[in-house]
């Protein structure tokens, strides 16, 4: 199914290049369905990205076109990464930006995991 709001998958995007090993990442987890690595510009003491191995532009694309195994495998990996990072007792936030209003910069579906401090409001208020 085609996805409105974003271009087709671009295999030159930076996360595709990380998946192919063409550029380095600080990897924290890898399995058949997901790769997790530290964000290069962390917004919290812990800021890790989890990406599916398949070529999905966004959550909109992934939620429609990924297989049941890919969806289950990916979300289990998100939970495992947060658990392995030691975030469960203090808590954490997961977030996925989608499209223009979501502020998505990299067109390969990814989930941010933030933790290590009180994270404040869920969505910032608009600038006055
Ligand atoms: P988003 O705005 O949701 O698309 O987030 C993209 C994220 O990717 C940002 O938080 C960037 O800091 C992060 N990022 C971009 N390039 C890299 C890279 N080479 N390694 C790790 N994180 C990156």
């Amino acid at each position: 199914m085609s996805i409105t709001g974003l271009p087709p998958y671009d295999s030159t995007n930076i996360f595709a290049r990380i998946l192919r090993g063409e550029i380095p990442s600080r990897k924290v987890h890898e399995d058949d369905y997901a790769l997790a690595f530290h964000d290069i510009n962390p917004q919290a003491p812990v800021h890790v990205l989890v990406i599916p191995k398949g070529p999905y532009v966004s959550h909109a694309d992934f939620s429609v076109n990924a297989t049941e195994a890919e969806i289950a495998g990916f979300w289990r990996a998100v939970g495992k990464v947060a658990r392995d990072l030691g975030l469960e007792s203090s808590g954490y936030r997961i977030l996925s930006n989608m499209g223009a209003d979501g502020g998505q910069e990299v067109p390969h579906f990814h989930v941010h995991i933030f933790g290590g401090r009180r994270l404040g409001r869920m969505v910032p208020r608009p600038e006055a």
Side-chain angles (χ1 to χ4, degrees):
M1 180 185 292
S2 68
I3 301 297
T4 57
L6 283 176
Y9 188 79
D10 171 8
S11 61
T12 67
N13 79 75
I14 196 136
F15 293 170
R17 297 181 63 206
I18 286 175
L19 276 172
R20 290 195 296 268
E22 294 169 3
I23 57 173
S25 67
R26 289 177 54 216
K27 184 162 69 175
V28 297
H29 173 79
E30 183 168 15
D31 62 32
D32 287 348
Y33 299 105
L35 175 70
F37 51 92
H38 290 278
D39 196 289
I40 204 166
N41 183 22
Q43 304 297 307
V46 178
H47 184 176
V48 164
L49 300 169
V50 188
I51 69 175
K53 291 222 165 151
Y56 301 105
V57 178
S58 66
H59 184 257
D61 185 9
F62 185 74
S63 63
V64 168
N65 293 313
T67 66
E68 305 295 310
E70 286 176 312
I71 292 170
F74 175 77
W75 286 106
R76 287 197 191 281
V78 173
K80 175 176 168 47
V81 168
R83 190 161 57 248
D84 291 351
L85 288 166
L87 298 176
E88 282 192 351
S89 59
S90 51
Y92 60 89
R93 178 170 296 160
I94 59 176
L95 176 150
S96 184
N97 296 316
M98 190 274 162
D101 278 359
Q104 182 177 2
E105 293 175 356
V106 179
H108 181 113
F109 172 48
H110 52 281
V111 166
H112 299 252
I113 301 175
F114 300 102
R117 66 168 167 79
R118 294 297 167 105
L119 292 163
R121 292 183 61 81
M122 194 161 52
V123 177
R125 293 181 193 279
E127 305 270 328

